[in-house]
Amino acid sequence: MTIYETEVPGVGHKFELELDGDERLIVLIHHDGKREVYLRPGENEDSEKLFGLTGKRARQLGSILEGAYFQPVEMDDIQVPLGESIIEWVEIGADSPVVGDTLQEASIRNRTGVSVVAIQRGEETIANPRPDVTIEAGDMLVSLGTREEQQAFEELLGEEGTAGGGGVEGGDAGDA
């Protein structure tokens, strides 16, 4: 990652961080301590101000981003009591092939290996959902499975038209 640094006469100091593609995150530090954060989506596009912070808030945010309060670990190094399984949360988009299917009709476990252990629907949590629960756009599905199974689940949701209508395998009553 390249960081560009520029003195802005009469204002302060500007840092530009290259993100994916042509995107750049721009942090402008004013002489009075105020910080402004901008996002420039492309090389020839205008920057959009995301937010501004006081010096104190910027230092707090910097500490959080640096990991002073919580140090994330590499997922491959995590030892969890679930063995090889991990829990993921996946939001179901309006175009998802499983929208309108019951868990049994979607046959998620048979097709991917993951088990849907809960559904977050707005403020409601459906714990251990029954096979006849219909999946709705906007649902947050909580799934349990290995990394490979989770990847297969994401691929299933990303493939348009593969699970809708009659293309779904039938599942048994425990197929959630």
Side-chain angles (χ1 to χ4, degrees):
M1 171 175 52
T2 303
I3 300 174
Y4 301 95
E5 188 176 340
T6 308
E7 187 70 33
V8 183
V11 177
H13 217 78
K14 180 173 81 172
F15 296 90
E16 294 187 37
L17 292 76
E18 288 182 334
L19 303 176
D20 293 334
D22 291 335
E23 277 189 331
R24 285 189 182 191
L25 188 66
I26 300 167
V27 178
L28 181 61
I29 302 176
H30 292 258
H31 289 302
D32 67 357
K34 180 176 72 175
R35 272 77 163 176
E36 295 176 317
V37 180
Y38 296 85
L39 178 67
R40 185 168 52 201
E43 184 177 335
N44 297 320
E45 298 184 49
D46 293 331
S47 299
E48 175 187 347
K49 183 177 178 180
L50 300 176
F51 56 89
L53 298 168
T54 63
K56 180 180 179 184
R57 291 281 185 221
R59 285 187 289 282
Q60 290 172 327
L61 176 61
S63 295
I64 291 169
L65 294 173
E66 190 175 60
Y69 297 104
F70 175 76
Q71 184 63 49
V73 295
E74 291 294 326
M75 288 297 291
D76 292 338
D77 296 337
I78 288 180
Q79 299 281 335
V80 292
L82 301 173
E84 296 294 318
S85 296
I86 57 174
I87 296 174
E88 292 282 352
W89 287 257
V90 178
E91 185 171 356
I92 303 300
D95 296 331
S96 173
V98 298
V99 169
D101 289 346
T102 63
L103 287 172
Q104 184 173 4
E105 291 168 337
S107 192
I108 293 170
R109 185 185 313 163
N110 286 340
R111 299 174 74 193
T112 68
V114 303
S115 296
V116 176
V117 296
I119 297 175
Q120 183 72 42
R121 182 173 291 156
E123 297 296 318
E124 177 189 13
T125 300
I126 305 169
N128 197 20
R130 299 179 44 86
D132 61 349
V133 172
T134 300
I135 301 168
E136 298 178 5
D139 282 352
M140 186 72 72
L141 271 53
V142 182
S143 60
L144 174 68
T146 65
R147 286 181 176 80
E148 293 79 20
E149 292 166 343
Q150 297 288 359
Q151 180 64 35
F153 183 41
E154 288 182 24
E155 289 172 8
L156 169 71
L157 297 176
E159 297 174 14
E160 292 185 31
T162 58
V168 178
E169 296 175 29
D172 60 27
D175 186 35

Short mmCIF file of all heavy atoms in Angstrom, two decimals, residues 81-136:
data_model
loop_
_atom_site.label_atom_id
_atom_site.label_comp_id
_atom_site.label_asym_id
_atom_site.label_seq_id
_atom_site.Cartn_x
_atom_site.Cartn_y
_atom_site.Cartn_z
N PRO A 81 -14.13 -23.95 19.87
CA PRO A 81 -14.70 -25.18 20.44
C PRO A 81 -15.60 -25.93 19.47
O PRO A 81 -16.03 -27.02 19.76
CB PRO A 81 -15.48 -24.68 21.66
CG PRO A 81 -15.74 -23.24 21.39
CD PRO A 81 -14.60 -22.76 20.55
N LEU A 82 -15.86 -25.35 18.31
CA LEU A 82 -16.72 -26.01 17.33
C LEU A 82 -15.92 -26.88 16.36
O LEU A 82 -16.43 -27.31 15.34
CB LEU A 82 -17.50 -24.95 16.54
CG LEU A 82 -18.39 -24.03 17.36
CD1 LEU A 82 -18.96 -22.92 16.49
CD2 LEU A 82 -19.51 -24.81 18.00
N GLY A 83 -14.64 -27.11 16.67
CA GLY A 83 -13.82 -27.92 15.77
C GLY A 83 -13.52 -27.15 14.51
O GLY A 83 -13.10 -26.01 14.56
N GLU A 84 -13.76 -27.74 13.37
CA GLU A 84 -13.50 -27.10 12.08
C GLU A 84 -14.63 -26.16 11.67
O GLU A 84 -14.51 -25.46 10.68
CB GLU A 84 -13.30 -28.18 11.00
CG GLU A 84 -12.08 -29.05 11.22
CD GLU A 84 -10.79 -28.26 11.09
OE1 GLU A 84 -10.70 -27.42 10.16
OE2 GLU A 84 -9.90 -28.45 11.93
N SER A 85 -15.71 -26.17 12.40
CA SER A 85 -16.87 -25.37 12.02
C SER A 85 -16.76 -23.93 12.51
O SER A 85 -16.16 -23.66 13.54
CB SER A 85 -18.16 -25.98 12.58
OG SER A 85 -18.37 -27.24 12.00
N ILE A 86 -17.33 -23.05 11.75
CA ILE A 86 -17.41 -21.65 12.13
C ILE A 86 -18.84 -21.17 11.92
O ILE A 86 -19.61 -21.82 11.21
CB ILE A 86 -16.44 -20.76 11.30
CG1 ILE A 86 -16.71 -20.90 9.80
CG2 ILE A 86 -15.00 -21.09 11.64
CD1 ILE A 86 -15.90 -19.97 8.93
N ILE A 87 -19.17 -20.08 12.55
CA ILE A 87 -20.49 -19.49 12.41
C ILE A 87 -20.37 -18.24 11.56
O ILE A 87 -19.47 -17.43 11.77
CB ILE A 87 -21.09 -19.15 13.79
CG1 ILE A 87 -21.31 -20.43 14.59
CG2 ILE A 87 -22.39 -18.37 13.65
CD1 ILE A 87 -21.76 -20.21 16.02
N GLU A 88 -21.24 -18.11 10.57
CA GLU A 88 -21.24 -16.94 9.70
C GLU A 88 -22.64 -16.34 9.67
O GLU A 88 -23.63 -17.04 9.89
CB GLU A 88 -20.84 -17.33 8.26
CG GLU A 88 -19.42 -17.77 8.12
CD GLU A 88 -18.43 -16.63 8.11
OE1 GLU A 88 -18.85 -15.45 8.06
OE2 GLU A 88 -17.23 -16.91 8.15
N TRP A 89 -22.70 -15.04 9.38
CA TRP A 89 -23.96 -14.33 9.21
C TRP A 89 -24.01 -13.88 7.75
O TRP A 89 -23.08 -13.24 7.26
CB TRP A 89 -24.01 -13.09 10.10
CG TRP A 89 -24.21 -13.40 11.55
CD1 TRP A 89 -25.36 -13.26 12.24
CD2 TRP A 89 -23.24 -13.87 12.49
NE1 TRP A 89 -25.17 -13.62 13.56
CE2 TRP A 89 -23.88 -14.00 13.73
CE3 TRP A 89 -21.89 -14.23 12.40
CZ2 TRP A 89 -23.23 -14.45 14.87
CZ3 TRP A 89 -21.24 -14.67 13.53
CH2 TRP A 89 -21.90 -14.77 14.75
N VAL A 90 -25.07 -14.22 7.08
CA VAL A 90 -25.20 -13.87 5.67
C VAL A 90 -26.56 -13.21 5.46
O VAL A 90 -27.60 -13.79 5.79
CB VAL A 90 -25.09 -15.13 4.78
CG1 VAL A 90 -25.27 -14.76 3.33
CG2 VAL A 90 -23.77 -15.85 5.01
N GLU A 91 -26.53 -12.02 4.92
CA GLU A 91 -27.78 -11.32 4.63
C GLU A 91 -28.29 -11.76 3.27
O GLU A 91 -27.54 -11.83 2.31
CB GLU A 91 -27.58 -9.80 4.65
CG GLU A 91 -28.90 -9.07 4.48
CD GLU A 91 -28.77 -7.58 4.72
OE1 GLU A 91 -27.68 -7.11 5.08
OE2 GLU A 91 -29.78 -6.88 4.53
N ILE A 92 -29.55 -12.03 3.21
CA ILE A 92 -30.17 -12.51 1.99
C ILE A 92 -30.67 -11.31 1.18
O ILE A 92 -31.51 -10.55 1.63
CB ILE A 92 -31.36 -13.46 2.31
CG1 ILE A 92 -30.88 -14.64 3.17
CG2 ILE A 92 -32.02 -13.94 1.04
CD1 ILE A 92 -29.81 -15.50 2.52
N GLY A 93 -30.12 -11.17 -0.01
CA GLY A 93 -30.52 -10.08 -0.89
C GLY A 93 -31.82 -10.38 -1.61
O GLY A 93 -32.27 -11.53 -1.67
N ALA A 94 -32.44 -9.34 -2.14
CA ALA A 94 -33.74 -9.49 -2.82
C ALA A 94 -33.64 -10.42 -4.03
O ALA A 94 -34.62 -11.09 -4.37
CB ALA A 94 -34.25 -8.12 -3.25
N ASP A 95 -32.48 -10.49 -4.67
CA ASP A 95 -32.31 -11.34 -5.86
C ASP A 95 -31.76 -12.72 -5.53
O ASP A 95 -31.44 -13.49 -6.45
CB ASP A 95 -31.36 -10.66 -6.85
CG ASP A 95 -31.95 -9.36 -7.38
OD1 ASP A 95 -33.19 -9.26 -7.45
OD2 ASP A 95 -31.17 -8.45 -7.71
N SER A 96 -31.65 -13.02 -4.26
CA SER A 96 -31.09 -14.32 -3.89
C SER A 96 -31.99 -15.46 -4.40
O SER A 96 -33.22 -15.36 -4.34
CB SER A 96 -30.95 -14.42 -2.37
OG SER A 96 -30.57 -15.73 -2.01
N PRO A 97 -31.40 -16.53 -4.85
CA PRO A 97 -32.20 -17.64 -5.37
C PRO A 97 -33.01 -18.39 -4.31
O PRO A 97 -33.88 -19.16 -4.66
CB PRO A 97 -31.15 -18.56 -6.00
CG PRO A 97 -29.87 -18.21 -5.35
CD PRO A 97 -29.96 -16.75 -4.98
N VAL A 98 -32.75 -18.13 -3.03
CA VAL A 98 -33.49 -18.84 -1.99
C VAL A 98 -34.65 -18.03 -1.42
O VAL A 98 -35.40 -18.54 -0.59
CB VAL A 98 -32.55 -19.30 -0.85
CG1 VAL A 98 -31.50 -20.29 -1.37
CG2 VAL A 98 -31.90 -18.12 -0.16
N VAL A 99 -34.81 -16.79 -1.85
CA VAL A 99 -35.92 -15.97 -1.35
C VAL A 99 -37.24 -16.61 -1.76
O VAL A 99 -37.44 -16.99 -2.91
CB VAL A 99 -35.83 -14.53 -1.90
CG1 VAL A 99 -37.12 -13.75 -1.61
CG2 VAL A 99 -34.65 -13.79 -1.29
N GLY A 100 -38.12 -16.76 -0.80
CA GLY A 100 -39.43 -17.35 -1.05
C GLY A 100 -39.46 -18.85 -0.82
O GLY A 100 -40.53 -19.45 -0.77
N ASP A 101 -38.31 -19.47 -0.69
CA ASP A 101 -38.24 -20.90 -0.41
C ASP A 101 -38.29 -21.13 1.10
O ASP A 101 -37.80 -20.32 1.88
CB ASP A 101 -36.94 -21.52 -0.91
CG ASP A 101 -36.87 -21.61 -2.41
OD1 ASP A 101 -37.92 -21.45 -3.08
OD2 ASP A 101 -35.76 -21.84 -2.93
N THR A 102 -38.86 -22.24 1.50
CA THR A 102 -38.70 -22.64 2.89
C THR A 102 -37.29 -23.20 3.04
O THR A 102 -36.61 -23.49 2.03
CB THR A 102 -39.71 -23.73 3.29
OG1 THR A 102 -39.44 -24.90 2.51
CG2 THR A 102 -41.15 -23.27 3.09
N LEU A 103 -36.85 -23.36 4.27
CA LEU A 103 -35.52 -23.96 4.48
C LEU A 103 -35.47 -25.35 3.86
O LEU A 103 -34.46 -25.74 3.27
CB LEU A 103 -35.18 -24.01 5.96
CG LEU A 103 -34.85 -22.66 6.60
CD1 LEU A 103 -34.72 -22.82 8.12
CD2 LEU A 103 -33.56 -22.09 6.02
N GLN A 104 -36.58 -26.08 3.95
CA GLN A 104 -36.61 -27.43 3.38
C GLN A 104 -36.52 -27.36 1.85
O GLN A 104 -35.77 -28.12 1.26
CB GLN A 104 -37.89 -28.14 3.81
CG GLN A 104 -37.94 -29.58 3.33
CD GLN A 104 -39.14 -30.33 3.89
OE1 GLN A 104 -39.97 -29.76 4.58
NE2 GLN A 104 -39.20 -31.60 3.59
N GLU A 105 -37.25 -26.45 1.25
CA GLU A 105 -37.21 -26.32 -0.22
C GLU A 105 -35.83 -25.88 -0.69
O GLU A 105 -35.34 -26.31 -1.73
CB GLU A 105 -38.25 -25.31 -0.69
CG GLU A 105 -39.68 -25.78 -0.53
CD GLU A 105 -40.69 -24.66 -0.74
OE1 GLU A 105 -40.35 -23.47 -0.58
OE2 GLU A 105 -41.85 -25.00 -1.06
N ALA A 106 -35.20 -24.99 0.06
CA ALA A 106 -33.87 -24.49 -0.34
C ALA A 106 -32.82 -25.58 -0.18
O ALA A 106 -31.80 -25.55 -0.87
CB ALA A 106 -33.49 -23.27 0.49
N SER A 107 -33.06 -26.51 0.71
CA SER A 107 -32.18 -27.67 0.90
C SER A 107 -30.71 -27.23 1.09
O SER A 107 -29.80 -27.80 0.50
CB SER A 107 -32.31 -28.62 -0.29
OG SER A 107 -31.69 -29.85 0.00
N ILE A 108 -30.55 -26.22 1.90
CA ILE A 108 -29.22 -25.62 2.08
C ILE A 108 -28.23 -26.61 2.65
O ILE A 108 -27.10 -26.71 2.17
CB ILE A 108 -29.34 -24.36 2.97
CG1 ILE A 108 -30.12 -23.28 2.21
CG2 ILE A 108 -27.96 -23.85 3.37
CD1 ILE A 108 -30.52 -22.08 3.05
N ARG A 109 -28.62 -27.38 3.64
CA ARG A 109 -27.68 -28.32 4.24
C ARG A 109 -27.25 -29.39 3.23
O ARG A 109 -26.08 -29.72 3.13
CB ARG A 109 -28.27 -29.01 5.47
CG ARG A 109 -27.22 -29.90 6.15
CD ARG A 109 -27.70 -30.71 7.31
NE ARG A 109 -28.50 -29.93 8.23
CZ ARG A 109 -29.31 -30.49 9.12
NH1 ARG A 109 -29.41 -31.80 9.21
NH2 ARG A 109 -30.02 -29.75 9.93
N ASN A 110 -28.21 -29.93 2.48
CA ASN A 110 -27.87 -30.96 1.49
C ASN A 110 -26.96 -30.40 0.39
O ASN A 110 -26.10 -31.10 -0.11
CB ASN A 110 -29.13 -31.53 0.85
CG ASN A 110 -29.86 -32.46 1.78
OD1 ASN A 110 -29.30 -32.96 2.74
ND2 ASN A 110 -31.15 -32.66 1.51
N ARG A 111 -27.19 -29.17 0.01
CA ARG A 111 -26.46 -28.59 -1.11
C ARG A 111 -25.09 -28.03 -0.72
O ARG A 111 -24.19 -27.96 -1.55
CB ARG A 111 -27.31 -27.50 -1.76
CG ARG A 111 -28.61 -28.09 -2.30
CD ARG A 111 -29.52 -27.05 -2.81
NE ARG A 111 -28.99 -26.57 -4.08
CZ ARG A 111 -29.42 -25.49 -4.68
NH1 ARG A 111 -30.35 -24.76 -4.13
NH2 ARG A 111 -28.91 -25.13 -5.83
N THR A 112 -24.95 -27.56 0.54
CA THR A 112 -23.70 -26.90 0.91
C THR A 112 -23.01 -27.51 2.13
O THR A 112 -21.83 -27.34 2.30
CB THR A 112 -23.95 -25.41 1.22
OG1 THR A 112 -24.74 -25.31 2.41
CG2 THR A 112 -24.65 -24.73 0.05
N GLY A 113 -23.78 -28.17 2.97
CA GLY A 113 -23.23 -28.73 4.20
C GLY A 113 -23.46 -27.85 5.43
O GLY A 113 -23.30 -28.31 6.54
N VAL A 114 -23.82 -26.58 5.24
CA VAL A 114 -24.05 -25.72 6.41
C VAL A 114 -25.45 -25.96 6.96
O VAL A 114 -26.36 -26.36 6.25
CB VAL A 114 -23.88 -24.21 6.09
CG1 VAL A 114 -22.51 -23.91 5.53
CG2 VAL A 114 -24.99 -23.70 5.19
N SER A 115 -25.57 -25.70 8.24
CA SER A 115 -26.87 -25.72 8.90
C SER A 115 -27.25 -24.31 9.28
O SER A 115 -26.43 -23.57 9.83
CB SER A 115 -26.80 -26.58 10.18
OG SER A 115 -26.53 -27.92 9.86
N VAL A 116 -28.47 -23.94 8.99
CA VAL A 116 -28.96 -22.63 9.40
C VAL A 116 -29.45 -22.78 10.83
O VAL A 116 -30.41 -23.50 11.08
CB VAL A 116 -30.08 -22.12 8.47
CG1 VAL A 116 -30.65 -20.81 8.98
CG2 VAL A 116 -29.55 -21.98 7.05
N VAL A 117 -28.75 -22.14 11.76
CA VAL A 117 -29.07 -22.30 13.18
C VAL A 117 -29.95 -21.18 13.71
O VAL A 117 -30.52 -21.31 14.79
CB VAL A 117 -27.78 -22.43 14.03
CG1 VAL A 117 -27.02 -23.70 13.65
CG2 VAL A 117 -26.90 -21.20 13.89
N ALA A 118 -30.07 -20.10 12.96
CA ALA A 118 -30.95 -19.00 13.38
C ALA A 118 -31.19 -18.09 12.19
O ALA A 118 -30.42 -18.07 11.22
CB ALA A 118 -30.33 -18.21 14.53
N ILE A 119 -32.28 -17.36 12.27
CA ILE A 119 -32.59 -16.33 11.28
C ILE A 119 -32.90 -15.06 12.05
O ILE A 119 -33.74 -15.06 12.95
CB ILE A 119 -33.80 -16.73 10.40
CG1 ILE A 119 -33.48 -17.99 9.60
CG2 ILE A 119 -34.19 -15.57 9.47
CD1 ILE A 119 -34.67 -18.53 8.80
N GLN A 120 -32.21 -14.00 11.69
CA GLN A 120 -32.51 -12.69 12.25
C GLN A 120 -33.38 -11.97 11.23
O GLN A 120 -32.96 -11.74 10.10
CB GLN A 120 -31.22 -11.91 12.50
CG GLN A 120 -31.44 -10.56 13.14
CD GLN A 120 -31.85 -10.69 14.60
OE1 GLN A 120 -31.30 -11.50 15.32
NE2 GLN A 120 -32.82 -9.90 15.01
N ARG A 121 -34.59 -11.66 11.63
CA ARG A 121 -35.54 -10.98 10.74
C ARG A 121 -36.01 -9.71 11.42
O ARG A 121 -36.85 -9.73 12.30
CB ARG A 121 -36.72 -11.91 10.45
CG ARG A 121 -37.74 -11.32 9.49
CD ARG A 121 -38.79 -12.34 9.11
NE ARG A 121 -38.22 -13.39 8.28
CZ ARG A 121 -38.73 -14.62 8.16
NH1 ARG A 121 -39.82 -14.95 8.81
NH2 ARG A 121 -38.13 -15.51 7.39
N GLY A 122 -35.39 -8.61 11.06
CA GLY A 122 -35.68 -7.35 11.75
C GLY A 122 -35.26 -7.47 13.20
O GLY A 122 -34.13 -7.83 13.50
N GLU A 123 -36.17 -7.19 14.09
CA GLU A 123 -35.89 -7.28 15.52
C GLU A 123 -36.11 -8.70 16.06
O GLU A 123 -35.79 -8.99 17.20
CB GLU A 123 -36.80 -6.30 16.29
CG GLU A 123 -36.56 -4.85 15.94
CD GLU A 123 -35.16 -4.38 16.31
OE1 GLU A 123 -34.66 -4.74 17.40
OE2 GLU A 123 -34.55 -3.68 15.49
N GLU A 124 -36.68 -9.57 15.24
CA GLU A 124 -37.01 -10.93 15.67
C GLU A 124 -35.87 -11.90 15.35
O GLU A 124 -35.28 -11.85 14.28
CB GLU A 124 -38.28 -11.38 14.95
CG GLU A 124 -38.70 -12.80 15.25
CD GLU A 124 -39.84 -13.28 14.35
OE1 GLU A 124 -40.14 -12.61 13.34
OE2 GLU A 124 -40.40 -14.33 14.67
N THR A 125 -35.59 -12.78 16.28
CA THR A 125 -34.63 -13.85 16.04
C THR A 125 -35.39 -15.18 16.06
O THR A 125 -36.08 -15.49 17.03
CB THR A 125 -33.55 -13.88 17.13
OG1 THR A 125 -32.85 -12.64 17.11
CG2 THR A 125 -32.57 -15.02 16.88
N ILE A 126 -35.27 -15.92 15.00
CA ILE A 126 -35.87 -17.24 14.92
C ILE A 126 -34.76 -18.24 15.19
O ILE A 126 -33.94 -18.55 14.32
CB ILE A 126 -36.51 -17.49 13.54
CG1 ILE A 126 -37.51 -16.39 13.20
CG2 ILE A 126 -37.15 -18.86 13.48
CD1 ILE A 126 -37.99 -16.39 11.77
N ALA A 127 -34.68 -18.70 16.43
CA ALA A 127 -33.64 -19.65 16.81
C ALA A 127 -34.03 -21.05 16.37
O ALA A 127 -35.19 -21.42 16.44
CB ALA A 127 -33.42 -19.61 18.32
N ASN A 128 -33.05 -21.80 15.88
CA ASN A 128 -33.28 -23.17 15.44
C ASN A 128 -34.53 -23.25 14.56
O ASN A 128 -35.50 -23.93 14.88
CB ASN A 128 -33.40 -24.11 16.65
CG ASN A 128 -33.23 -25.54 16.26
OD1 ASN A 128 -32.69 -25.85 15.20
ND2 ASN A 128 -33.71 -26.44 17.11
N PRO A 129 -34.54 -22.54 13.45
CA PRO A 129 -35.76 -22.44 12.63
C PRO A 129 -36.21 -23.80 12.09
O PRO A 129 -35.39 -24.65 11.74
CB PRO A 129 -35.34 -21.50 11.50
CG PRO A 129 -33.86 -21.62 11.43
CD PRO A 129 -33.39 -21.89 12.82
N ARG A 130 -37.50 -23.95 12.02
CA ARG A 130 -38.10 -25.19 11.52
C ARG A 130 -37.94 -25.23 10.00
O ARG A 130 -37.81 -24.19 9.34
CB ARG A 130 -39.56 -25.26 11.93
CG ARG A 130 -39.76 -25.26 13.45
CD ARG A 130 -41.24 -25.30 13.82
NE ARG A 130 -42.00 -26.25 13.03
CZ ARG A 130 -42.13 -27.55 13.32
NH1 ARG A 130 -41.55 -28.03 14.40
NH2 ARG A 130 -42.85 -28.33 12.55
N PRO A 131 -38.00 -26.40 9.41
CA PRO A 131 -37.84 -26.53 7.95
C PRO A 131 -38.91 -25.79 7.15
O PRO A 131 -38.68 -25.44 5.99
CB PRO A 131 -37.96 -28.04 7.72
CG PRO A 131 -37.62 -28.66 9.02
CD PRO A 131 -38.06 -27.70 10.07
N ASP A 132 -40.08 -25.49 7.78
CA ASP A 132 -41.13 -24.82 7.02
C ASP A 132 -41.04 -23.28 7.09
O ASP A 132 -41.89 -22.58 6.55
CB ASP A 132 -42.52 -25.28 7.49
CG ASP A 132 -42.78 -24.98 8.97
OD1 ASP A 132 -41.83 -24.60 9.69
OD2 ASP A 132 -43.94 -25.14 9.40
N VAL A 133 -39.99 -22.75 7.70
CA VAL A 133 -39.80 -21.28 7.75
C VAL A 133 -39.37 -20.81 6.37
O VAL A 133 -38.45 -21.36 5.76
CB VAL A 133 -38.75 -20.89 8.81
CG1 VAL A 133 -38.40 -19.41 8.71
CG2 VAL A 133 -39.24 -21.24 10.20
N THR A 134 -40.07 -19.80 5.86
CA THR A 134 -39.76 -19.25 4.54
C THR A 134 -38.66 -18.18 4.66
O THR A 134 -38.69 -17.33 5.53
CB THR A 134 -41.03 -18.62 3.93
OG1 THR A 134 -42.02 -19.64 3.82
CG2 THR A 134 -40.73 -18.02 2.55
N ILE A 135 -37.71 -18.25 3.74
CA ILE A 135 -36.61 -17.29 3.70
C ILE A 135 -37.09 -16.03 2.99
O ILE A 135 -37.65 -16.11 1.89
CB ILE A 135 -35.39 -17.89 2.97
CG1 ILE A 135 -34.94 -19.17 3.68
CG2 ILE A 135 -34.26 -16.87 2.88
CD1 ILE A 135 -33.93 -19.99 2.88
N GLU A 136 -36.86 -14.89 3.63
CA GLU A 136 -37.29 -13.61 3.07
C GLU A 136 -36.08 -12.73 2.76
O GLU A 136 -35.03 -12.85 3.39
CB GLU A 136 -38.20 -12.88 4.07
CG GLU A 136 -39.46 -13.63 4.40
CD GLU A 136 -40.32 -12.91 5.42
OE1 GLU A 136 -39.98 -11.77 5.81
OE2 GLU A 136 -41.33 -13.50 5.83
#
